[in-house]
């Protein structure tokens, strides 16, 4: 969600790639749905892990900032970047996976996490450029 929202809000002026602790995971349908509410298309997004970034032509040393959304990704990012000059920020975003007992509750949990991401992005980089 974070990569898609960042690209929607701030366009191509900033290069952004998402990576997680685990790659090769399908994008969650609830994440796709709640991001569509903001006009963010995720259905074609490919999930990848840190180790896969290099395979796609991105090396960690080419980034200025890593934003970690979970304690595990923060620890892995700090371990992988200890020899590079880049910043790691930790944004504790609630993990919506597994929350809620019905579709509406699950969507609400994903909206909550999406909105946490939106608020963090705006606090860090200002209002969206396209007026979203």
């Amino acid at each position: 969600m974070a990569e898609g929202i960042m690209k929607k809000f701030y366009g191509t002026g900033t290069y952004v790639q998402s990576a997680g602790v685990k790659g090769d995971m399908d994008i969650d349908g609830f994440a796709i749905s709640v991001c569509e509410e903001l006009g963010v298309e995720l259905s074609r997004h490919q999930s990848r892990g840190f180790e896969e970034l290099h395979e796609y032509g991105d090396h960690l040393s080419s980034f200025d900032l890593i934003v970690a959304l979970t304690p595990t990704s923060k620890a892995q990012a700090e371990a992988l970047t200890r020899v590079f000059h880049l910043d790691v920020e930790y944004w504790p975003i609630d993990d919506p996976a597994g929350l809620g007992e019905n579709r509406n509750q699950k969507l609400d949990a994903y909206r909550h996490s999406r909105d946490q991401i939106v608020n963090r992005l705006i606090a860090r980089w200002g209002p969206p450029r396209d007026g979203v």
Side-chain angles (χ1 to χ4, degrees):
M1 287 193 292
E3 176 185 351
I5 296 167
M6 176 83 176
K7 287 178 177 178
K8 172 75 174 174
F9 280 15
Y10 305 107
T12 58
T14 301
Y15 183 70
V16 60
Q17 282 293 340
S18 63
V21 176
K22 298 177 187 175
D24 290 333
M25 295 170 50
D26 290 332
I27 303 303
D28 189 294
F30 291 108
I32 292 170
S33 292
V34 301
C35 283
E36 282 177 354
E37 295 172 355
L38 297 182
V40 175
E41 198 279 317
L42 291 184
S43 64
R44 293 179 290 143
H45 182 78
Q46 297 292 316
S47 175
R48 58 191 155 279
F50 283 112
E51 67 281 349
E52 294 170 297
L53 282 178
H54 189 69
E55 294 172 28
Y56 287 91
D58 292 314
H59 192 272
L60 286 177
S61 65
S62 65
F63 292 93
D64 297 318
L65 172 68
I66 293 178
V67 177
L69 304 182
T70 67
T72 304
S73 64
K74 176 184 180 280
Q76 186 172 11
E78 288 173 340
L80 291 171
T81 62
R82 67 183 177 277
V83 297
F84 302 122
H85 182 70
L86 61 101
D87 295 325
V88 176
E89 289 184 13
Y90 174 51
W91 296 357
I93 303 298
D94 295 334
D95 183 358
L99 297 179
E101 296 191 22
N102 61 46
R103 178 171 166 55
N104 287 335
Q105 290 174 345
K106 291 178 184 299
L107 285 169
D108 286 343
Y110 276 80
R111 285 183 187 110
H112 174 74
S113 296
R114 176 203 62 200
D115 293 345
Q116 286 181 305
I117 293 167
V118 166
N119 291 334
R120 288 288 192 149
L121 288 170
I122 291 171
R124 179 70 162 80
W125 285 287
R129 292 195 181 129
D130 67 354
V132 171

